[in-house]
Amino acid sequence: MGRSETSGAGDTTPVAPTRQESSSEGSRTVLGTKRRERIDGLAESGGDTAAGVSLAASAWRRLRRSPTFLVGAGIICAFVLLALVSPLLAQHDPALRLLEEQVSRADNSIPPPQPGFPLGGDQYGRPLLSRLLLGSQQTLLVALLATVIGLGGGLTLGILAGAFGGWVDTLVMRVVDVLLSVPSLLLAVSIGALFQQQSQFTVIIAVATVQIPIFGRLLRGTMLAQRASDHVLAARALGVRQRSIVFRHMLPNALGPVIVQATLMLAVAIIDAAALSFLGLGAADTSTPEWGQMLGSAQNFFDTHPHLAFWPAGCIIVVALGFTLVGESLRDALDPKKRR
Amino acid sequence: MALLEVRDLSVRFVRRHEPTVSAVDGISFDVHPGSTVGLVGESGCGKSVTSLAIMGLLPQRGTEVSGSAKLAGSELLRLSRREFDRRRGKEIGMVFQDPLTSLNPVVPIGVQISEVIERHRGLSRRDAKREAARLLDRVGIPDPTRRLGEYSHQLSGGMRQRALIAMALACEPRLLIADEPTTALDVTIQAQILSLLRELVAETDTALIMITHDLGVVAGMCDEVNVLYAGRIVERAQRHELFSRPRHPYTAGLMASVPRLDSPRGQRLAPIDGSVADNIPWERGCAFSPRCGNALAVCGQRAPELETTDAGEQLRCHNPVDATETVERADD
Ligand SMILES: Nc1ncnc2c1ncn2[C@@H]1O[C@H](COP(=O)(O)OP(=O)(O)O)[C@@H](O)[C@H]1O
Ligand SMILES: [Mg+2]
């Protein structure tokens, strides 16, 4: 960093090498920041948009150029859109056994594709395509809720441990380490088994429980790194209040890896939730379709009718891949070593 | 009465699987209101640990602090964490070495400054912002109102250190500790920052502890200089006395290793032989003796005490550099 300062006057703002692009990008984000600042009563001056780029903007600039991110985001958008419009797309009620007469236990036959039913029916004669389409809602919702709960719990633990250190940290981390020492699927199954009645709620809680210690540990680590950082020492040297140290000076700087992890966790949650449903821990009533449960109930037909498993499994893999790609590219974009 | 009285300050780091480190070993010094006192020594001699101990910022686990540090008569070392939080930033300010890492990267400069003002001076948010802009202007940052909304990565190194100085002086503390405030900066900017510090300190009558490994910085700023070696003060003198006739061989060595405009042409710089790693603990004699050109047999057996010389300075040495000898050498 060989920038020199010209005797206190007119110091040029350091901007990334691609100046033109960053200034156009910058003006957009600065508008956002300016608005916030105005609310704070900060901006007494006119809106000056030449200020340069914020950190989020520079991360976003790199993301937009990353093929990994674009593919991942494309997949996620497609599936989210699908989940939203699936009630319109699905031509049949997924709970109705419309093709039941074509199901035969004796010769192990299952309704083949036919007019009106492009993928045919499942082993109960229910419309496979409609079930697949509507299944996206359950799968995404379960993963999202589980990750939100896991994130909330993990943040609480991580903030407690990282902010206070000492015995609070020791206590919290003991609990976290015990939870982490149990294989995650085993833990999820055990949690699921605690519930009297099987439902999607069971799955959500079980998957979230697996995530809490992961988020907690991650945030605790980044919070402790912040505690030892120069700018926190400098803030403490200024007598800044503990609350502000934790929530203004430590937490925002500690969140980057957690955001990345949360994205990756959505992929894990989809797979875990599917695994639990596959194992029969999901809703006992299968009239509301869900991919994991569809996959589970297809297991008796793997050799004779592999397409029953192929479609839900394919969807699970592709959507999980989407979240993984986005998570990985976020990790790269937020990496301070690559920041320009 | 002195503004800051440090008496017999010792800091030891006790760690489970490693030997105990005695980073600061019985340091005493005074800082008078409005004066500038230097703490000088090689890297690792305990300068930062001394300042952090006075600020109450050392990690609590595994750190043993003993002795006393009184600010205007009230003991700092036994303050509760909460009491310390109330006084830091208000009565004592501190400027650190690396301005880039000392600022929070995700919070605008203006928020970081006005936070301190709101906290200690009880101003409203709006008044604090206005005051922050005034402070930025005062430390020589152009267009301060706009800068308030910027982040640390948008400022140059010199600007960042100016902003940090503005924060440290926001509440007009009586004492400012500057720990190598220019070490991380370009040479041209170093001079600007030093003259800014000198100017602000004179203007507000703030006492300054200037921590540096650079004798050049000391020469330009300090009234009194403490030379540290391996956690102890080995020489203390007024600036003029120290530079005109250094008595401790370590001080003399430091000066001989710094280029001077008035030294004869072609004269080589003389680095001090050996490194800090050669230190022996003070219990086994003078810690500097393995590197010392003046060492006598006694130096490796008994550690010298800090004693007042005839000229009124403080010296910890069995065989100091003779005043006449230095003059001769300069005449060569
Ligand atoms: N937190 C710590 N734990 C253990 N040893 C430390 C710690 N902080 C500093 N030290 C040791 O104390 C000595 C003095 O360090 P310091 O005051 O930072 O030196 P400097 O004079 O360069 O500022 C060094 O040997 C260093 O290794
Ligand atoms: Mg230091």
Side-chain angles (χ1 to χ4, degrees), chain B residues 13 15 21 23 41-50 59 179-180 211:
Chain B
F13 295 106
R15 286 165 302 179
V21 176
E42 283 167 308
S43 174
C45 70
K47 307 181 296 288
S48 298
V49 171
T50 304
D179 187 353
E180 311 242 13
I211 294 180

Side-chain angles (χ1 to χ4, degrees), chain A residues 3 5 51 53 230 238-239 244, chain B residues 101 115 119 153-154 186 192:
Chain A
R3 263 180 240 118
E5 191 187 50
V53 275
D230 283 1
L238 290 165
S244 169
Chain B
T101 58
E115 174 177 38
R119 162 88 164 116
H153 73 279
Q154 293 171 287
D186 290 349
Q192 293 173 17

Side-chain angles (χ1 to χ4, degrees), chain A residues 1-15 30 33-34 36-37 39-45 48-55 58 163-167 169-170 226-227 229-242 244-245 248-250 252-253 339-340, chain B residues 52 55-58 61 81 84-86 88-90 92-94 96 98 100-108 110-112 115-116 118-120 125-126 129-130 140-143 145-151 153-160 162 164 167-169 186 188-189 192-193:
Chain A
M1 291 264 207
R3 263 180 240 118
S4 64
E5 191 187 50
T6 45
S7 64
D11 177 66
T12 52
T13 313
V15 190
V30 164
T33 357
K34 280 287 172 206
R36 256 185 291 132
E37 284 164 3
I39 293 164
D40 288 355
L42 171 74
E44 294 171 21
S45 64
D48 187 338
T49 51
V53 275
S54 77
L55 300 179
S58 85
F164 293 106
W167 66 265
D169 179 33
T170 313
Q226 286 299 314
R227 239 162 88 95
S229 74
D230 283 1
H231 73 264
V232 167
L233 184 70
R236 289 177 59 211
L238 290 165
V240 171
R241 276 178 217 277
Q242 176 70 8
S244 169
I245 296 268
R248 179 179 280 167
H249 296 279
M250 288 166 64
N253 287 293
R339 185 173 287 160
R340 286 171 302 165
Chain B
L52 293 177
M55 293 291 287
L57 289 175
L58 286 170
R61 265 199 221 179
R81 179 183 172 153
F84 233 137
D85 276 349
R86 215 172 293 131
R88 273 195 297 254
K90 189 179 188 187
I92 322 177
M94 186 155 180
F96 293 90
D98 188 347
L100 175 60
T101 58
S102 294
L103 285 165
N104 185 339
V106 303
V107 173
V111 175
Q112 295 184 58
E115 174 177 38
V116 180
E118 281 174 50
R119 162 88 164 116
H120 294 300
R125 179 160 294 186
R126 176 180 223 99
K129 291 282 184 221
R130 197 170 299 129
I141 294 184
D143 201 358
T145 326
R146 179 171 66 102
R147 294 288 182 186
L148 286 180
E150 294 193 350
Y151 295 85
H153 73 279
Q154 293 171 287
L155 304 185
S156 70
M159 293 281 165
R160 290 186 198 119
R162 284 170 193 270
L164 283 158
M167 285 179 210
L169 292 178
D186 290 349
T188 48
I189 298 163
Q192 293 173 17
I193 295 294

Side-chain angles (χ1 to χ4, degrees), chain A residues 200-221:
Chain A
Q200 290 297 45
F201 179 71
T202 320
V203 175
I204 292 173
I205 294 301
V207 173
T209 312
V210 171
Q211 298 194 0
I212 287 174
I214 297 176
F215 283 121
R217 211 187 152 81
L218 181 67
L219 187 68
R220 181 249 188 192

Side-chain angles (χ1 to χ4, degrees), chain A residues 110-197:
Chain A
I110 275 171
Q114 51 200 278
F117 300 90
L119 295 180
D122 68 2
Q123 64 271 38
Y124 301 110
R126 297 176 297 196
L128 190 56
L129 181 63
S130 296
R131 289 183 68 74
L132 202 59
L133 289 170
L134 288 163
S136 59
Q137 289 189 333
Q138 284 294 312
T139 303
L140 288 180
L141 197 64
V142 167
L144 192 68
L145 287 179
T147 305
V148 166
I149 295 172
L151 189 61
L155 283 183
T156 311
L157 292 185
I159 290 171
L160 279 177
F164 293 106
W167 66 265
V168 182
D169 179 33
T170 313
L171 183 72
V172 169
M173 280 307 118
R174 277 295 117 75
V175 176
V176 162
D177 285 343
V178 167
L179 287 177
L180 280 178
S181 68
V182 184
S184 64
L185 201 57
L186 187 63
L187 179 64
V189 169
S190 323
I191 300 282
L194 289 178
F195 287 82
Q196 299 287 317
Q197 264 186 334

